Amino acid sequence: MTVALPGEVYFDPAFVFHDGQVGEKLFVVLCDSPLDPNAVVVARTTSVNKGEYVVGVESSGEMEGCHSGAFVPNYFLPAPQNKFTKNTWLLFDDIYEYGDEEFRQLGWKVTLELDLALTISVMSCASQSSHVPGWAQKQLIKQLEKMK
């Protein structure tokens, strides 16, 4: 069993982005890793709508739920629902995998937990995204079958 469970939201106070910038970031645990039973797979979040997260919906670009076909596939959660203080997009274009020990060393703390129904909905959405690597999609589907 891993150190984290699907639906847990972790806070990283000093996340290093691909461009070298450092900032605060929330991550949502999606599932255990299929490559190592002692690993965890997470998706990052954002509270900034850059206009690329949702296609074909209302002009505000803020329609609750799954947007696996968007340019940046995501799951949108409007504030203050589901315990987030700001509108939040769970992003599926950049999935991270950590081993248990590596995850512990990050020192991240659980800031909140999604309820089971929402966790299942988020995992299902991520599993439908073409941006999620095949190995992660398979694990998401496998774990979803166990959770339902």
Side-chain angles (χ1 to χ4, degrees), residues 14-87:
F15 177 71
V16 180
F17 293 89
H18 293 296
D19 64 1
Q21 296 277 338
V22 177
E24 296 178 342
K25 186 57 56 185
L26 292 174
F27 289 87
V28 177
V29 175
L30 295 177
C31 65
D32 295 335
S33 170
L35 302 177
D36 180 347
N38 296 312
V40 63
V41 177
V42 300
R44 64 188 170 90
T45 69
T46 188
S47 60
V48 179
N49 182 358
K50 297 180 183 175
E52 57 191 19
Y53 302 134
V54 181
V55 291
V57 297
E58 60 194 36
S59 61
S60 71
E62 297 177 351
M63 185 177 192
E64 183 176 3
C66 181
H67 304 284
S68 60
F71 178 71
V72 176
N74 69 88
Y75 196 101
F76 176 65
L77 298 169
Q81 297 175 15
N82 306 305
K83 304 176 188 174
F84 286 96
T85 58
K86 298 179 181 178
N87 287 347

Side-chain angles (χ1 to χ4, degrees), residues 28 30 75 90 92 114 117-127:
V28 177
L30 295 177
Y75 196 101
L90 286 60
F92 305 134
L114 305 180
L118 179 57
T119 298
I120 289 172
S121 184
V122 167
M123 290 169 64
S124 178
C125 182
S127 73

Side-chain angles (χ1 to χ4, degrees), residues 10-13 15 27 42 98 103-110:
Y10 284 81
F11 175 70
D12 182 353
F15 177 71
F27 289 87
V42 300
Y98 297 99
F103 194 82
R104 280 187 197 96
Q105 290 177 0
L106 291 171
W108 294 357
K109 303 293 183 209
V110 175

